[in-house]
Structure formats: C-alpha cells, structure tokens
Amino acid sequence: HLEKTTEMNHLYDFYAPLLTEKQRSLWELYFFDDWSLAEIAEHQGVSRQAIFESLKRAQKSLLAFEEKLALWQKHQQR
C-alpha cells in the first residue's frame, strides 16, 4: 500500500497542474496533510463517499496522464 501511495504521489508531482483545483485540494489534504476522509468530508460539507470518489477519479486521471505522456517513466529512466 505504501508503494502505491508513493507512486501516486510521484505522479501527482508531475501531473498536478492537469487536475482540477478541487482535485488538487482534496489530494493535498488527504495525502500531504494526512486528513481522514471523514475530516475532509466535514470540511467540504459533503459525504465521505463523495470525497472517496473524487480521490479515486483524481487517481484514475493521474494514471491516464502517465499512460499517455510517460513523464514519470522517462524521469526514472534518466
């Protein structure tokens, strides 16, 4: 699980500007500021499930960007 989180954060470093402002905000609260889904949901005034789904969509976007652009893969090869 830690390796997956680390990989996703590397992808975030490369592709964050391509995410929406809201996706970036939620990502940073969850992964960088260590907020729980419940804390973020309360702060945003939405359900925990809504936060979970938003983070899942952001993750899918990051993976899709990497699949198309391969910036992280190229960086690792250097």
Side-chain angles (χ1 to χ4, degrees), residues 4-14 27 31-32:
K4 183 68 173 171
T5 299
T6 301
E7 177 191 354
M8 293 310 301
N9 283 327
H10 285 302
L11 294 180
Y12 181 84
D13 289 343
F14 280 88
W27 190 274
F31 287 103
F32 301 153

Side-chain angles (χ1 to χ4, degrees), residues 43-69:
H43 183 261
Q44 298 286 322
V46 297
S47 71
R48 185 187 166 284
Q49 185 66 27
I51 299 302
F52 177 80
E53 293 298 327
S54 292
L55 288 170
K56 198 84 167 153
R57 274 193 304 279
Q59 182 176 345
K60 282 184 177 182
S61 293
L62 292 172
L63 291 168
F65 297 145
E66 176 62 10
E67 188 177 313
K68 289 180 177 79
L69 303 171

